[in-house]
Amino acid sequence: MPSTLPKRRQGGAALIVGLIMLVLITLAVTAGFTLSNTNLKSVGNMQNRNEAVAAANRAIEEVASSLLLPGVDGSPSLARPLGTQSRVDINNDGTIDYTVDIAPPTCVRATKSTDTGGGGTAGPGGIGGSSSTSGSGLNALPDQYNSVWDISTSVTDAASGTVTAVRQGVRALLSKEQFEALCS
C-alpha cells in the first residue's frame, strides 16, 4: 500500500546544529589546552626561580662561612671580603646550571657587644640575643662588635639567560681590629 502522506523535505537544521556544537566543543578543548599549557609554563618558571634562589643561598652560605676567617697564623683577617663568582650544578648532571655573581659583602652596621648579666642584650638594629649572650661574660672578653653584613647576588640561568637577584643579611662577631679595618 503506497503511502498517501506527503514527503517532508528536510531542511538540514540538524546538520547545522551539529556543526555549531562541534565548533563550540572544539573551542572549549582548545581553550582548555591553552590554559593547561600556560599553567605548565608558570609552574616551570616558578621551579626555575626556586632553583635560582637555592643556588644563590648556597653561594651566600659559602661566602658567609668564609667571611672573616682567621689567617694561616690564626690572627683575625683584616682583608676586606671580595666579590666572587660561583657556578652551580643544581641537578648534578655535570653541566653548570646557574652562575652566581656575588658582590663584595658590605658591613652595614656594627655595635659593641656588651653583657649586662641580666639578659636582654641588643645587637645591631635591636637584634636580641638574650638567650645566647645572657651571662656570657662578654665584658671579660676583649672588645667585640656585632656586625651586620649585606651580601647581594645576581643569579643567571645558563639555559634561559634569565637573571634573579637575591640579597641576604649575615651577622658576624668582629674583633676590635676587624671592626676598625672593615666597618668603621
Side-chain angles (χ1 to χ4, degrees):
M1 174 167 206
S3 172
T4 59
L5 296 174
K7 289 188 176 182
R8 291 184 11 189
R9 195 172 140 204
Q10 294 183 359
L15 180 63
I16 292 175
V17 169
L19 286 174
I20 290 173
M21 292 300 289
L22 185 61
V23 167
L24 291 176
I25 290 172
T26 302
L27 288 174
V29 168
T30 303
F33 181 73
T34 303
L35 184 62
S36 68
N37 240 1
T38 303
N39 288 340
L40 183 62
K41 287 179 183 178
S42 176
V43 169
N45 288 341
M46 190 62 109
Q47 180 180 356
N48 287 344
R49 183 186 176 281
N50 288 342
E51 285 180 355
V53 170
N57 285 337
R58 177 179 165 210
I60 287 171
E61 287 297 321
E62 289 173 3
V63 169
S65 66
S66 67
L67 188 67
L68 310 173
L69 284 177
V72 178
D73 61 352
S75 64
S77 172
L78 300 178
R80 289 206 174 273
L82 301 174
T84 59
Q85 188 178 71
S86 177
R87 294 170 193 227
V88 179
D89 176 14
I90 202 86
N91 56 4
N92 295 325
D93 65 351
T95 60
I96 301 302
D97 298 311
Y98 297 96
T99 302
V100 183
D101 293 310
I102 306 146
T106 56
C107 181
V108 177
R109 65 180 162 258
T111 58
K112 188 172 181 182
S113 297
T114 58
D115 185 13
T116 61
T121 58
I127 297 172
S130 59
S131 63
S132 62
T133 59
S134 175
S136 62
L138 287 177
N139 284 337
L141 294 174
D143 289 340
Q144 294 191 348
Y145 295 83
N146 284 318
S147 64
V148 177
W149 294 76
D150 178 37
I151 302 176
S152 299
T153 64
S154 175
V155 185
T156 305
D157 183 357
S160 66
T162 58
V163 178
T164 304
V166 177
R167 291 181 64 191
Q168 184 170 334
V170 176
R171 187 174 174 189
L173 191 62
L174 304 177
S175 68
K176 183 177 182 178
E177 294 81 19
Q178 288 173 314
F179 167 73
E180 290 172 350
L182 304 173
C183 288
S184 58

